[in-house]
Amino acid sequence: MARLSAAPLPPRCRLLPAPLPLGLRALASYGGVSGQRRGAAAGSRGRLVKNYLQRREFSFTLRDDVYVRYQSFNSPQELEKEMQKMNPYKIDVGAVYSHRPIQHNSVHMGAFQAQEKELVFDIDMTDYDDVRRCCSSAEICSKCWTLMTIAIRVIDRALVEDFGVKHRLWVYSGRRGVHCWVCDDSVRKWSSAMRAAVVEYLTLVKGGSETIKKVNLTDPIHPFISNSLSLVEPYFEEYALVGQDILGSSESWEKVVALVPESVRESLLREFPKKHDSIQRWELLKKKMEKCKPSHAEWEIMLQYCFPRLDINVSRGVSHLLKSPFSVHPKTGRVSVPIDLRKLDQFDPFAVPTISCLCSELDMAHEEEDGEKENEAEPEPKRRTRDYKKTSLAPYVRVFEQFVEEMDKSRKGELLRKSDLQGDF
């Protein structure tokens, strides 16, 4: 069984190669363009939001864990140039501030404020250590990765259907989890209180390591819960009963039995050893629960073992930093790539490009081009764009480009709609 854990980067590949800044350049361009278009959408007042990218915070983590915050740049090209100069191990993206972040020490106290940022979610596999048996800590494998697939499906459905969100970018962290960037203009301006309220709405698993039963359902069942259950249930048997084998031994099934009504615990513990596997024991448990109405123990178990676990501190803070897409994880060498939701069930964290792989692919591409005269006069940006398309990073960059294009199309439609409304008067 494949398993992913920490691994050092090859020394010759610790610098970002040419393709990786392209994704960040697109991200930076998105920040600037979105601000300009939002300003243009102000319409009749004719105001243009200026210096949008310049007011966005970037932070770099350098060799020996040197952390450089409050970086800001005039253009995507300036950002890329600084990246090539400093060779950061990690790049984080922060809020858009009232002033340029690089000037934060020279601004009057209290005037430097975070004004907006994407609503972000960080789902980390270590938060599931109490319910997964295959791995622990930073390790992941194909069995427990199903938890990330379920989390994306549950949270993404809620964002779209319950909150009316349109623009979501899901990104693999490069190691043991996923991030979500919610980029709708209105959401970006939400207060910390609103962000915290959304996380609370999306949270069902509550309690620390000392809490045995972490999901408690009451009637009437909220539509969010029933909709979430409809997404969890198709994965439950293969993930929990087969992959994790949560009823496979007395040690593991005792944890499950602790979550059911006390009146049936003794009979389950007595009858479980007579069954052959977790699937049979789960069927027995469900039959017992039918006699314990209105208990929702069956659903509570499914949710406790499979439901998304969010870090509220990451989501509620407007000024919170989150790793940029297309960063390279310093422990694994894997690139933090966007996830195509149309192929979510096929996403494989072990197939994600690594920095070593990209270096080799670029070397091979350059060797094939050696001696071709037309390349000698070709502009460097154009050559680099063509180069990254010859690597395994290309399909992931395309997912990001499609996301940005969809946002661009949506904003143009909104401008036309507002223009038509103004023309009616």
Side-chain angles (χ1 to χ4, degrees), residues 273-316:
K274 302 175 184 178
K275 301 299 180 180
H276 295 297
D277 54 32
S278 287
I279 294 177
Q280 289 187 3
R281 293 180 186 115
W282 180 250
E283 290 302 317
L284 173 63
L285 184 149
K286 290 198 295 183
K287 288 180 180 179
K288 297 284 187 182
M289 290 304 100
E290 290 176 0
K291 302 175 182 179
C292 294
K293 301 295 183 183
S295 171
H296 299 299
E298 176 188 339
W299 291 349
E300 290 168 342
I301 293 168
M302 292 172 64
L303 293 172
Q304 180 155 331
Y305 275 80
C306 299
F307 195 81
R309 303 181 177 204
L310 304 176
D311 185 339
I312 189 171
N313 294 319
V314 171
S315 300
R316 71 181 173 189

Side-chain angles (χ1 to χ4, degrees), residues 6-19:
L9 296 184
R12 74 179 187 89
C13 293
R14 287 178 177 165
L15 306 183
L16 287 172

Side-chain angles (χ1 to χ4, degrees), residues 130-151:
D130 62 315
V131 293
R132 60 179 181 144
R133 302 177 64 196
C134 53
C135 304
S136 63
S137 188
E139 291 185 332
I140 66 169
C141 71
S142 56
K143 289 182 178 180
C144 57
W145 185 256
T146 302
L147 289 167
M148 295 296 106
T149 302
I150 295 171

